[in-house]
Amino acid sequence: MLIVGVGLSGLALAIRLKRARVDDFVLLEAGDELGGTWRDNHYPGLVCDIESCLYSYSFEPTPRWTRRFAPQREILEYLKVCAEKHDIQRHIRFNSRVAAARFDERTSTWEVMTTDHRRFRARVLVSACGGLVQPNTPDIPGLERFEGPLFHTARFRHDVPLRGKTVAVIGTGASAAQVIPAIAPIVRKLHVFQRTPPWVLPKPDRAIPSWKRSRARVVSLLQRAERCALYWRKELFVGTGFLLVQRLLKPLEASARKHLEQRVPNAALRARLTPKYAIGCKRVVLSNDYLPALLRTNVELVTDRITEIRAGSIITDDGSERAVDVIIAATGFDWTDGSVSFDVTGPGGRNLRDVWRDGAEAYLGTAIAGFPNLFLLLGPNTWVGHTSMVLMIEAQARYIQRAIETMRARNLARVEVRSDVQAAYNRRVQGRFKHTLWATERDSWCRKKPGKNTARWPGYTFEYRWRTRRFDAAAYDVVVDDAPAGQSWWERGSVVG
Ligand code: NA7
């Protein structure tokens, strides 16, 4: 079995398999370290915006968190410790970027090629590439003509000195809101280019005292209790607000407006910082220091549109030119549809890119009709904004593990979700968006596919977890292996080279 990607999702599946005593799998990782998004993103100020007790594996609470919202280096360290503890490292082939996968109908196996032309073969292939991987390069005329350092938050250049420089940050999303307060005190001048203001809520963050952290058993119990309370609060109030009763989001909007009023006394500036869309369509920013940073005398909020970038300056549509030494693009990601970042060719030469031309679609966000023995983590319609993605990841990992157990137990060489099952499932999923917040407001995760939301799960996470609690073999066309006695499909299919 091959798993592509060792970020939070690939690692969750690997650990799940280990715990189920499945040992013959290989993880192909493009980088030279595990961690995915938490490895690639390391800009100053990066902190998780979900509470650590919920943004961690349910089976692996840890006393190591120093704050309620953990900083990036603690999350990355946590993932490494989990990999170590469950003996995952030896399964990982680093520096192995997958270019393509092709299904071999003769052997019912996937042949996987890396960009440096190595080949692997496996019975089951899992894509765990993640969705927020490819930095979005802003399409601003003249960007390539800028002569100073220009980099994205997801590729932060710590070697570029910012102290005493004039810096531009483009974008005011979740990343910008963290990097701006972190660099504002050291730069000479900071121009913040905002296209759409985010809703900003106060962050209920606090340090976890060391006496609490030193009592691992107590921590574990406290974390589980806090996790449970937070889980249900987010599901019932924020989840219901997004999904069914948008009125429930009004208190959140009111709290964000109050936060803005308290932090920004200047009414004109406040007006430019007030969003004109319902809370929840874009990632809500949780921050106590973003708005105060914008009030600093060396920080300027620019709301005029950027029209051009020149060798050493940025031009806006009011005709102003601002000289800058460094540009930081905090412009988010080019969403990877379905979290599959390599070329996939199924039986009959069918290419996944063609199949998904009108938007990614899968069954339970995990299996795709026409592509046997292929599973996805963070696939289409599995993303949630009201709570931790780890909950969805764990549910998917459990489903895939159970699929593999079923394949083993029933000696199945091939499992392929039925196209009628997938179509009916997706009709239901897309139909449910009618009742959600995203039916009337534009969902920032789905800008590219008007009329179809391929990212969000339009339900509660407990519903998704319930739906994926077992592998429903009846939804699949299966082929029993005809291998000679004594030679299991697993052994024949898992030749990894
Ligand atoms: P986001 O939340 O997608 O934010 C990107 C920001 O960049 C947002 O303010 C965009 O404005 C802005 N942007 C994007 N392209 C441009 C151009 N061409 N010109 C000006 N401004 C632009 O990404 P983050 O990295 O902050 O957060 C990523 C996710 O990670 C976040 O949602 C969490 O789920 C975790 P726009 O709103 O499009 O007008």
Side-chain angles (χ1 to χ4, degrees):
M1 176 180 184
L2 280 173
I3 303 167
V4 183
V6 198
L8 216 140
S9 65
L11 186 59
L13 176 60
I15 296 175
R16 176 112 214 158
L17 291 172
K18 280 290 225 192
R19 285 159 56 105
R21 302 194 188 291
V22 176
D23 200 47
D24 47 354
F25 60 88
V26 165
L27 294 138
L28 298 178
E29 168 54 52
D32 54 8
E33 207 186 353
L34 61 80
T37 298
W38 294 105
R39 173 203 60 206
D40 292 345
N41 285 265
H42 41 69
Y43 57 78
L46 176 51
V47 171
C48 188
D49 58 7
I50 296 284
E51 293 82 348
S52 324
C53 64
L54 207 53
Y55 199 87
S56 45
Y57 299 128
S58 58
F59 48 83
E60 218 46 83
T62 173
R64 288 167 186 252
W65 306 127
T66 59
R67 303 199 65 85
R68 191 157 186 241
F69 292 84
Q72 172 262 346
R73 63 188 152 68
E74 285 185 22
I75 298 175
L76 187 57
E77 186 57 30
Y78 169 78
L79 295 176
K80 287 180 185 167
V81 168
C82 288
E84 190 84 19
K85 178 174 169 189
H86 294 276
D87 189 26
I88 304 298
Q89 294 278 5
R90 68 184 174 87
H91 294 263
I92 308 175
R93 306 284 180 274
F94 288 107
N95 303 306
S96 304
R97 183 177 293 280
V98 171
R102 173 175 287 275
F103 191 72
D104 178 349
E105 291 182 65
R106 200 177 44 83
T107 57
S108 290
T109 55
W110 283 97
E111 195 183 4
V112 173
M113 275 78 65
T114 56
T115 49
D116 59 356
H117 310 295
R118 278 173 296 141
R119 282 167 192 272
F120 296 79
R121 184 179 286 276
R123 176 71 71 190
V124 173
L125 175 64
V126 180
S127 176
C129 303
L132 303 171
V133 179
Q134 193 56 41
N136 166 37
T137 308
D139 50 351
I140 301 170
L143 190 74
E144 66 294 340
R145 285 200 296 273
F146 185 69
E147 285 176 358
L150 185 161
F151 52 87
H152 192 276
T153 42
R155 301 286 181 273
F156 201 90
R157 291 212 18 217
H158 297 273
D159 60 321
V160 173
L162 298 179
R163 189 170 292 281
K165 303 280 183 202
T166 299
V167 179
V169 170
I170 303 178
T172 51
S175 304
Q178 296 189 337
V179 83
I180 287 165
I183 63 171
I186 58 163
V187 301
R188 191 178 73 78
K189 182 86 191 158
L190 182 60
H191 302 289
V192 175
F193 290 86
Q194 170 186 282
R195 198 162 64 174
T196 315
W199 284 104
V200 184
L201 281 169
K203 187 173 197 173
D205 192 19
R206 57 171 182 265
I208 300 174
S210 53
W211 65 263
K212 247 186 179 178
R213 279 184 276 134
S214 62
R215 307 170 82 167
R217 240 189 107 69
V218 179
V219 168
S220 164
L221 285 173
L222 285 177
Q223 264 183 27
R224 281 179 205 277
E226 195 189 355
R227 184 182 169 99
C228 182
L230 265 175
Y231 174 77
W232 285 108
R233 204 169 75 204
K234 286 181 191 288
E235 288 294 308
L236 298 181
F237 293 103
V238 192
T240 306
F242 282 2
L243 301 170
L244 295 167
V245 191
Q246 274 104 60
R247 253 181 308 125
L248 279 180
L249 300 174
K250 290 293 169 202
L252 278 187
E253 259 188 45
S255 163
R257 281 181 204 282
K258 191 170 157 209
H259 183 58
L260 185 61
E261 256 165 48
Q262 284 171 343
R263 301 292 159 122
V264 182
N266 178 320
L269 180 59
R270 224 167 39 227
R272 293 157 71 207
L273 288 167
T274 306
K276 294 184 178 54
Y277 55 88
I279 199 165
C281 296
K282 273 166 67 87
R283 187 86 182 177
V284 177
V285 166
L286 285 187
S287 175
N288 302 325
D289 51 8
Y290 172 59
L291 296 174
L294 297 179
L295 300 182
R296 293 177 63 98
T297 50
N298 67 334
V299 177
E300 182 202 19
L301 179 76
V302 184
T303 47
D304 302 299
R305 286 248 163 173
I306 302 175
T307 50
E308 189 191 345
I309 292 181
R310 294 191 184 152
S313 63
I314 298 183
I315 317 290
T316 45
D317 60 3
D318 62 339
S320 308
E321 176 167 9
R322 288 173 180 81
V324 293
D325 303 314
V326 181
I327 298 179
I328 302 174
T331 44
F333 298 87
D334 263 337
W335 173 260
T336 311
D337 222 1
S339 295
V340 183
S341 60
F342 50 92
D343 193 69
V344 180
T345 308
R350 181 186 297 184
N351 193 282
L352 186 60
R353 206 163 291 146
D354 297 333
V355 172
W356 278 359
R357 195 179 299 120
D358 297 325
E361 183 173 305
Y363 174 60
L364 294 171
T366 306
I368 315 164
F371 295 86
N373 302 0
L374 172 68
F375 296 98
L376 314 176
L377 283 164
L378 296 174
N381 295 108
T382 57
W383 290 72
V384 289
H386 68 278
T387 187
S388 171
M389 280 304 298
V390 179
L391 300 160
M392 298 296 277
I393 289 170
E394 283 192 27
Q396 285 184 291
R398 179 180 60 181
Y399 184 81
I400 296 170
Q401 176 230 323
R402 293 196 172 153
I404 285 157
E405 277 172 359
T406 306
M407 289 175 80
R408 276 187 138 166
R410 292 175 48 185
N411 203 29
L412 303 178
R414 200 167 151 160
V415 294
E416 179 182 339
V417 69
R418 285 168 30 207
S419 55
D420 59 317
V421 171
Q422 180 177 308
Y425 172 80
N426 277 281
R427 268 196 305 278
R428 279 199 307 276
V429 165
Q430 293 302 324
R432 284 175 62 174
F433 281 103
K434 279 203 285 287
H435 309 290
T436 67
L437 171 70
W438 311 295
T440 48
E441 301 273 354
R442 251 151 73 100
D443 180 357
S444 69
W445 275 355
C446 279
R447 270 175 272 204
K448 288 184 190 163
K449 305 274 171 346
K452 186 171 182 181
N453 197 323
T454 60
R456 298 217 190 233
W457 165 243
Y460 295 101
T461 62
F462 55 81
E463 181 200 336
Y464 184 80
R465 290 160 75 191
W466 183 80
R467 280 180 182 272
T468 50
R469 73 197 181 285
R470 59 181 180 84
F471 178 68
D472 43 351
Y476 290 74
D477 289 325
V478 301
V479 176
V480 178
D481 193 12
D482 57 1
Q487 195 185 11
S488 78
W489 70 267
W490 192 260
E491 285 148 8
R492 294 195 315 131
S494 297
V495 188
V496 177

